[in-house]
Amino acid sequence: MKSFYSRIPSRQQILPVFAVLIFFGFSWALYRMFWYIPSWLEYLSVWKVLAIAAYVLGFALLESLVMLGFVFCFSLLFPARVFKDNYAALGSSLAALLGIGAVLIQRQINLVYRLELWQVAVYPLAGLIALALFVLLLAWVFKRFPLTLRIVNALAERMTVFAYLYVPLGAMGMFVVISRNLLGQ
Amino acid sequence: MPTSFTRRDFLKLSASLAFTGALGRLPGVSSALKAGASAKPNVIIVLFDALSAFNLSLYGYRRRTSPNLERFAERAVVFHNHHSAGNFTTPSTASLFTSTYPWTHRAYNLSSLISPQVAPHNLFAMLDGTRYQAAFAQNTFADMLLYQFQRHLDRHEAVDRFALAGRTFYDNLFQRDAIYGMKSMDQFLFKREEAHGSLFLSIVNDLATQAGYRAQSARLKASYPSGPPRLANTDVYFDLPRVMDGVMGLLDELPQPFFTYFHFMPPHMPYVPRREFIGMFDDGWNPPEIKRHRLAPGVTQERLNKLRTTYDEFVADLDDQFGRLIDHLDQRGLLEDSYVIFTSDHGELFERGVSGHSTPVMFEPLIRIPLVVHTPGQRERVDVRSLTSNVDVLPTLLKIAGVAVPSWAEGRALPGLGGEEDPSRNIYVVEAKANPAFSKLRKATLVLMRGPHKLVRYLGYKHYSNNYEYYNLETDPSEQQNLYPDHTMAKELQAELDEKLEQVDRPYL
């Protein structure tokens, strides 16, 4: 049990990871949304488009939290000296890999609709194994080349600015969504 | 148990009496109908999506696709020349609900809404208080329009109700804000087969959905060898017999008198008939090839023939289920005191290099839809061959209910159901999905029909930017001889259509 608790990161360690996830989640949502807004404005008023934006931003915040939960749970699989000791760097790298991977998958998302049942089960499992190997490799690289650890930590630190920018937007969006659904339109 | 008699109850009773009184005045209504009219009539609209009148044996199609509809027609008014006001669900159902043409209600695009000025003038609002009102649409775009009328509905079933697998977000999580729940969640964050707005969780959702689909496909392989039917633009899978069971159960439990709107997905693509219907039209027959239209994408004739055959099989499948519904209504005695309206929102095209209905090309198989109306207790068939439009449904129901047809309605009561035949009448079909909802029409296909005369204006298309086509459907029912501009009628219709276009564009200039 002691070993398990020793794997839990501090809030300071989590923040940069959250920032990276927020950066990917919100940037993608906003990029897609701005791509869509001209078509929405063809048949919806600005206020109605803002209502949609509230859903999108609120959901982006929720999604970032869910993904943070995933990274957190994933990190618990590793001994503290592998993951927790370099949590910010490893977690941020993992978050970045998930973000980049998700963008690449989104570009070919229609392929998902060709998968057989066994592939739907096996591919995510294979993905998890690959992520675990990635973490082990990165942990070794950080240990072997401390400069890389410093660079990644510095980058992750700077990403926290996105958390301060996007979290209020997401919270506002969530508030609007909850209000609309409690009060009706 | 509450026994108070509310204002709503009073309105329902008054309107029921009005319905009953109006029945006796209808031409073409048998004495049996009049006898049955002493009951309070219900109104049941049954709409099958993308069902072309051309592919129904009821209207003379070579393949026997609709034996049950034919059986139903023996006790109904059959409209032979009924047209949709649009070529896909959103504009056409908006026209059905509001009795206005697309250039008035402005729901041009796939996920458009009816304009705020027109939306209050809808079928459900007009009949509110007269009947218990229930609606169920398997098409999400029609369902969105129903959400615009939500406050007039006593019961609104979710689009994925009676489904086999898959769920929509808006109908389950955001019922009180469904329109924006759908536009943000189902059409943006979690949309199908295209890059989503949600970066991470949409992929998880896709995987889960695909797993559900594969599992259902395996389970239903015996019934659906080519995969289970799916609601277009969603990941919701259904089995029509099961959906029909659900609808029949719903009809049994609704308080009478009621007004219901049921919008079924078949035979909309993907065309996936049940096993027993597969191969039933492997008869080697193919319609004569018609020259490719300039705006056609160029689907090969071989492919078109194949698609048509599968579509016909799917039509026969839905007809089988419609037969079950009619038998159920008959057994429950509902045919004695209900109007049952069988129709579609638009047709489907399998010719000239075009398949489906997402096309600017407006030939008859795409816009001529079935309309068969059973009046309470009707025993004999009545055929109406004059030109009608789906904007006429609302005025007809109002007329039958004894409610004055409002001046904003662009349709009129159907002949045989309170209306008169008028050979000089114009009807319109508008395809304008490439246009913003609230600006001048720049790229559109506009159709004006009067009697057998049909003028089509193609506006703003690349290499076909301001072209007219004129067909005389009496002498050329397959629309192969474009007589524009030589026919005298062509110029007359052109002047009228151009003037109409100016008129509808005026507020947006």
Side-chain angles (χ1 to χ4, degrees):
Chain A
M1 193 53 90
K2 194 182 163 192
S3 149
F4 178 78
Y5 282 122
S6 71
R7 296 176 188 192
I8 295 174
S10 68
R11 260 185 290 179
Q12 271 67 31
Q13 287 175 305
I14 287 176
L15 184 61
V17 181
F18 187 44
V20 173
L21 289 167
I22 275 200
F23 168 74
F24 277 100
F26 275 77
S27 301
W28 175 259
L30 288 171
Y31 158 70
R32 296 286 303 156
M33 196 169 74
F34 281 113
W35 197 79
Y36 263 72
I37 280 175
S39 90
W40 285 333
L41 285 173
E42 299 282 24
Y43 61 93
L44 296 173
S45 68
V46 173
W47 286 110
K48 288 170 179 172
V49 172
L50 285 175
I52 299 174
Y55 273 88
V56 172
L57 295 171
F59 188 82
L61 180 61
L62 187 75
E63 183 178 47
S64 305
L65 286 167
V66 170
M67 292 309 291
L68 182 68
F70 169 77
V71 173
F72 176 80
C73 294
F74 196 69
S75 72
L76 298 180
L77 298 174
F78 299 90
R81 64 190 160 76
V82 174
F83 206 118
K84 197 244 174 172
D85 291 354
N86 290 318
Y87 196 90
L90 272 173
S92 303
S93 306
L94 186 60
L97 183 75
L98 285 169
I100 292 165
V103 170
L104 294 175
I105 292 172
Q106 290 285 3
R107 291 288 174 199
Q108 296 293 327
I109 196 69
N110 55 337
L111 295 180
V112 171
Y113 289 92
R114 295 185 200 169
L115 297 181
E116 296 297 330
L117 191 56
W118 69 268
Q119 291 171 310
V120 175
V122 167
Y123 289 179
L125 201 64
L128 285 176
I129 293 168
L131 280 182
L133 292 174
F134 171 77
V135 166
L136 293 174
L137 175 72
L138 215 58
W140 176 80
V141 169
F142 287 157
K143 198 171 176 183
R144 180 78 179 77
F145 308 103
L147 179 64
T148 55
L149 180 64
R150 282 202 297 279
I151 291 171
V152 172
N153 271 330
L155 283 173
E157 185 83 9
R158 279 157 183 75
M159 294 294 272
T160 52
V161 70
F162 288 107
Y164 294 111
L165 187 68
Y166 287 145
V167 169
L169 280 176
M172 219 150 49
M174 212 170 263
F175 174 75
V176 171
V177 170
I178 292 169
S179 308
R180 288 181 68 92
N181 281 279
L182 283 180
L183 306 173
Q185 288 177 52
Chain B
M1 194 185 209
T3 54
S4 61
F5 192 75
T6 62
R7 180 177 162 274
R8 193 179 174 86
D9 295 331
F10 172 75
L11 287 170
K12 285 188 176 184
L13 181 66
S14 315
S16 298
L17 293 172
F19 253 97
T20 307
L23 277 169
R25 297 195 295 273
L26 295 179
V29 177
S30 69
S31 55
L33 182 157
K34 287 172 189 164
S38 58
K40 298 172 186 175
N42 306 299
V43 179
I44 305 168
I45 298 181
V46 179
L47 184 148
F48 285 92
D49 205 301
L51 179 58
S52 173
F54 273 70
N55 293 63
L56 293 170
S57 49
L58 170 70
Y59 293 108
Y61 188 54
R62 183 187 166 121
R63 288 172 170 159
R64 190 87 196 282
T65 50
S66 55
N68 290 290
L69 185 57
E70 288 168 41
R71 183 162 61 89
F72 173 65
E74 289 308 311
R75 304 188 266 177
V77 186
V78 180
F79 293 85
H80 289 258
N81 206 359
H82 189 64
H83 288 76
S84 170
N87 66 319
F88 61 100
T89 295
T90 311
S92 59
T93 43
S95 290
L96 174 80
F97 291 145
T98 63
S99 186
T100 58
Y101 287 106
W103 48 37
T104 305
H105 62 59
R106 315 301 288 187
Y108 292 145
N109 313 102
L110 199 58
S111 49
S112 280
L113 299 168
I114 297 166
S115 87
Q117 287 74 36
V118 176
H121 306 149
N122 66 77
L123 194 49
F124 301 98
M126 296 305 291
L127 294 178
D128 197 1
T130 71
R131 296 287 180 279
Y132 184 90
Q133 303 202 113
F136 166 59
Q138 281 195 296
N139 183 311
T140 50
F141 299 110
D143 198 38
M144 272 307 94
L145 303 182
L146 291 177
Y147 270 107
Q148 280 198 278
F149 315 140
Q150 179 81 344
R151 69 194 176 93
H152 303 293
L153 292 171
D154 296 294
R155 190 159 169 175
H156 179 186
E157 295 296 339
V159 75
D160 52 14
R161 183 96 160 92
F162 317 124
L164 284 172
R167 286 285 172 270
T168 54
F169 290 94
Y170 73 93
D171 253 336
N172 295 289
L173 292 174
F174 306 107
Q175 283 183 4
R176 299 188 72 177
D177 192 23
I179 292 174
Y180 297 97
M182 186 202 188
K183 291 196 178 303
S184 49
M185 300 298 284
D186 295 87
Q187 290 182 349
F188 179 70
L189 288 165
F190 288 91
K191 69 185 297 186
R192 193 176 203 279
E193 285 181 359
E194 205 180 299
H196 306 275
S198 157
L199 181 60
F200 300 107
L201 297 185
S202 64
I203 298 171
V204 177
N205 182 62
D206 283 338
L207 288 167
T209 302
Q210 181 64 1
Y213 167 66
R214 287 294 183 201
Q216 290 297 338
S217 297
R219 194 169 75 81
L220 295 168
K221 200 163 180 59
S223 311
Y224 292 98
S226 42
R230 175 168 62 82
L231 305 189
N233 305 298
T234 71
D235 294 307
V236 177
Y237 298 90
F238 68 95
D239 170 39
L240 188 56
R242 179 184 157 128
V243 175
M244 203 54 89
D245 287 343
V247 164
M248 291 189 295
L250 189 63
L251 281 167
D252 289 347
E253 66 188 53
L254 291 181
Q256 293 191 40
F258 55 70
F259 167 45
T260 60
Y261 175 79
F262 297 122
H263 188 133
F264 296 98
M265 201 76 229
H268 192 287
M269 60 187 115
Y271 313 133
V272 275
R274 279 176 293 155
R275 179 181 291 278
E276 54 265 45
F277 297 92
I278 293 176
M280 74 181 290
F281 298 124
D282 286 348
D283 47 14
W285 173 78
N286 289 313
E289 189 170 343
I290 302 177
K291 191 181 158 199
R292 180 185 159 185
H293 191 272
R294 280 192 69 172
L295 293 175
V299 182
T300 64
Q301 192 60 35
E302 192 186 353
R303 175 87 183 132
L304 291 174
N305 291 340
K306 199 171 173 203
L307 285 169
R308 173 192 289 273
T309 300
T310 316
Y311 175 81
D312 289 345
E313 290 164 357
F314 207 19
V315 172
D317 188 347
L318 76 84
D319 174 77
D320 177 63
Q321 291 306 308
F322 178 68
R324 280 186 64 217
L325 176 66
I326 293 307
D327 291 341
H328 181 80
L329 294 176
D330 208 3
Q331 284 159 15
R332 305 283 301 184
L334 284 169
L335 288 183
E336 291 303 311
D337 53 11
S338 302
Y339 286 85
V340 182
I341 301 171
F342 177 98
T343 191
S344 183
D345 52 353
H346 55 83
E348 205 80 328
L349 201 58
F350 302 100
E351 59 185 41
R352 305 166 206 261
V354 181
S355 76
H357 55 270
S358 294
T359 171
V361 174
M362 294 293 116
F363 289 98
E364 287 293 282
L366 180 59
I367 55 176
R368 217 177 85 195
I369 53 175
L371 179 65
V372 185
V373 182
H374 166 85
T375 59
Q378 187 171 351
R379 301 274 184 271
E380 291 165 12
R381 174 169 167 159
V382 176
D383 289 278
V384 175
R385 294 179 193 279
S386 57
L387 190 62
T388 56
S389 164
N390 71 342
V391 295
D392 299 337
V393 172
L394 182 149
T396 305
L397 290 177
L398 295 185
K399 190 114 181 174
I400 289 170
V403 178
V405 178
S407 58
W408 47 258
E410 294 176 339
R412 53 176 74 177
L414 292 158
L417 291 171
E420 302 293 329
E421 294 202 13
D422 177 6
S424 66
R425 184 216 180 163
N426 289 344
I427 67 160
Y428 302 93
V429 185
V430 180
E431 189 326 302
K433 73 164 82 64
N435 296 266
F438 302 107
S439 57
K440 182 178 182 277
L441 286 175
R442 291 195 168 82
K443 188 176 179 183
T445 308
L446 310 169
V447 180
L448 189 165
M449 298 182 76
R450 186 192 298 162
H453 309 288
K454 178 176 179 182
L455 182 83
V456 187
R457 181 174 179 185
Y458 291 95
L459 177 72
Y461 295 101
K462 203 175 174 184
H463 309 305
Y464 209 59
S465 61
N466 200 19
N467 292 63
Y468 292 85
E469 292 174 6
Y470 167 83
Y471 301 98
N472 185 323
L473 299 176
E474 204 165 56
T475 55
D476 175 28
S478 58
E479 301 167 276
Q480 296 196 61
Q481 293 167 330
N482 175 12
L483 301 177
Y484 183 87
D486 303 330
H487 200 286
T488 49
M489 201 64 185
K491 285 289 178 189
E492 188 183 324
L493 294 182
Q494 182 188 342
E496 279 196 42
L497 186 59
D498 291 351
E499 193 188 323
K500 186 76 185 171
L501 180 61
E502 261 187 58
Q503 185 194 325
V504 298
D505 273 346
R506 207 165 293 141
Y508 307 100
L509 290 175

